[in-house]
Amino acid sequence: MKKILLTLVIAVLLLSGFAGVKSAELLFVSNSTTTNQEDPENEIIVGYKENTDVAVLSKQVEKTTGAKLSRKGLKNFAVFKLPQGKAADVVMNQLKNDPNVEYVEPNYIAHAFDVPNDTFFNPYQWNFYDYGMTSNGYVSNYGIQAVSAWNITKGAGVKVAIIDTGVAYENYGAYTKAPDLANTLFDTANAYDFVNNDTHANDDNSHGTHVAGTIAQSTNNGMGAAGIAYQATILPIKVLDSEGSGTYDAIANGIIWAADKGARVINMSLGGSSGSTTLQNAIQYAYNKGVVIVCASGNDRRSTVSYPAAYTQCIAVGSTRFDGTRARYSNYGSALDIVAPGGDTSVDQNHDGYGDGILQQTFAEGSPTDFAYYFFQGTSMASPHVAGVAALVLSAHPTYTNEQVRTALQSTAKDLGTAGWDKYYGYGLVNAYAAVNWTP
């Protein structure tokens, strides 16, 4: 059981161990576009009639069309490479009248379903990969298996509240919507800023926008990065200022607001070292309304989990690296529930030329219209992985309670460290595919 520490409310929630460890390494890449190429790569397939000699007939095709035999199929067909400068339809028309040819068609290109076409998904978003997928040629067995989970659900119908520094979700005043959030769904009617007390929860720090990207970056849009529950709806709630700090009362208000506005999941990539009755009561309120509450464990290497993650009603998330080991900064202890990729920019284990952080789009601090793709590290980055997976579970199973979602996450996690629960990894690495397939 998690210990609930009742103390006086502290005035300011310092994020030196959260936002301060993000190590914002910019991905320097040229602007490029991708296409969903389904046209053949200068190849055709010739299907022959039954009881014909494929080898003999293939030589005739080469002689009459100039195409070169590339390979033979297991049945009565063969693949031919087209001669340079000769269109496929011309060659196919030549062969259609051959009495030995049953059919002729382009050798179309297929793509694995739900592997995003986002430019930087491969090799940089190893944290989402299925076991066995490679990042820059290096196997990543410590991603969250989001690729397989996307064949079941993408998070539609679930509202996720991001209680943070705000999100770059709208064009308003000096703020601009992040380009790679263009197709992301937002509950703009209920967004709220408890720092400035208005209805515009814009990000003036960059932290919240990065967190939002992990949960629901616009995906399959041919640019940038992908998000986990990219068909979910994001409710932006600002409780932290431009320095990444905020009072407990603002956070408590944000939690209550999210619960009252229909959020099924709350992500809080924030924390402090002291408990608070005000904060605990807000957590209890949201929990009683069925909300799944996911929180970062903290980044100051302590053997105790920060608040509010330490409360029993919250899912406390620690951080892992590319190789599945605990990130050196990640808090641990009796209150830790689960781990997720949070990155470690001090190493480059996939040798892609960048530290192994978590890549999403955000902006340079102080410049909320200057967007780029940054590698951040921290339990702040691990927590939204679990929140995103929780959204996938609820999308696939809308009637699940918050405790059933917790069980789905914890009971299907990939065990790390010593067998079973342990203080460094909790129940293990979150597994999106297994979690969405869990049944009571």
Side-chain angles (χ1 to χ4, degrees), residues 287-306:
Y287 176 82
N288 289 345
K289 296 198 77 168
V291 181
V292 179
I293 308 168
V294 183
C295 305
S297 69
N299 297 335
D300 42 18
R301 309 186 189 188
R302 292 189 299 139
S303 60
T304 55
V305 170
S306 298

Side-chain angles (χ1 to χ4, degrees), residues 192-213:
Y192 201 83
D193 179 351
F194 286 96
V195 175
N196 301 297
N197 294 313
D198 61 40
T199 57
H200 298 282
N202 295 293
D203 188 4
D204 52 9
N205 172 274
S206 80
H207 185 264
T209 298
H210 196 281
V211 167

Side-chain angles (χ1 to χ4, degrees), residues 62-295:
E62 288 183 319
K63 183 177 181 179
T64 58
T65 67
K68 296 298 181 183
L69 178 66
S70 179
R71 53 199 176 273
K72 290 186 286 185
L74 295 180
K75 292 288 286 182
N76 294 337
F77 70 88
V79 178
F80 292 86
K81 193 79 172 178
L82 296 173
Q84 188 173 3
K86 200 164 186 179
D89 57 348
V90 173
V91 176
M92 289 192 293
N93 285 334
Q94 284 183 263
L95 295 172
K96 284 178 180 177
N97 296 324
D98 187 324
N100 295 307
V101 172
E102 183 73 27
Y103 66 89
V104 58
E105 63 187 7
N107 192 16
Y108 291 108
I109 304 301
H111 303 274
F113 289 123
D114 290 316
V115 174
N117 63 15
D118 302 74
T119 319
F120 305 142
F121 184 77
N122 186 9
Y124 303 116
Q125 289 192 285
W126 54 268
N127 43 304
F128 291 174
Y129 289 1
D130 283 356
Y131 306 155
M133 290 180 65
T134 59
S135 171
N136 195 42
Y138 291 82
V139 173
S140 175
N141 285 324
Y142 300 97
I144 66 167
Q145 299 229 99
V147 175
S148 290
W150 287 328
N151 289 321
I152 300 169
T153 177
K154 301 170 182 66
V158 180
K159 187 184 297 186
V160 181
I162 297 177
I163 299 178
D164 211 291
T165 62
V167 178
Y169 74 103
E170 64 172 353
N171 298 321
Y172 174 75
Y175 299 98
T176 304
K177 188 173 188 176
D180 211 0
L181 292 175
N183 299 328
T184 301
L185 299 174
F186 289 97
D187 181 3
T188 57
N190 291 307
Y192 201 83
D193 179 351
F194 286 96
V195 175
N196 301 297
N197 294 313
D198 61 40
T199 57
H200 298 282
N202 295 293
D203 188 4
D204 52 9
N205 172 274
S206 80
H207 185 264
T209 298
H210 196 281
V211 167
T214 296
I215 296 173
Q217 196 91 76
S218 297
T219 302
N220 281 323
N221 60 347
M223 65 175 283
I228 296 167
Y230 57 89
Q231 290 183 357
T233 298
I234 298 299
L235 172 58
I237 299 175
K238 181 175 175 63
V239 299
L240 305 178
D241 63 20
S242 61
E243 300 299 319
S245 299
T247 59
Y248 271 27
D249 73 288
I251 297 165
N253 283 332
I255 295 166
I256 295 166
W257 182 273
D260 286 344
K261 300 303 179 182
R264 296 293 309 275
V265 181
I266 288 174
N267 183 81
M268 285 185 281
S269 291
L270 49 76
S273 59
S274 296
S276 155
T277 302
T278 303
L279 190 59
Q280 181 190 8
N281 288 344
I283 292 289
Q284 186 68 57
Y285 178 82
Y287 176 82
N288 289 345
K289 296 198 77 168
V291 181
V292 179
I293 308 168
V294 183
C295 305

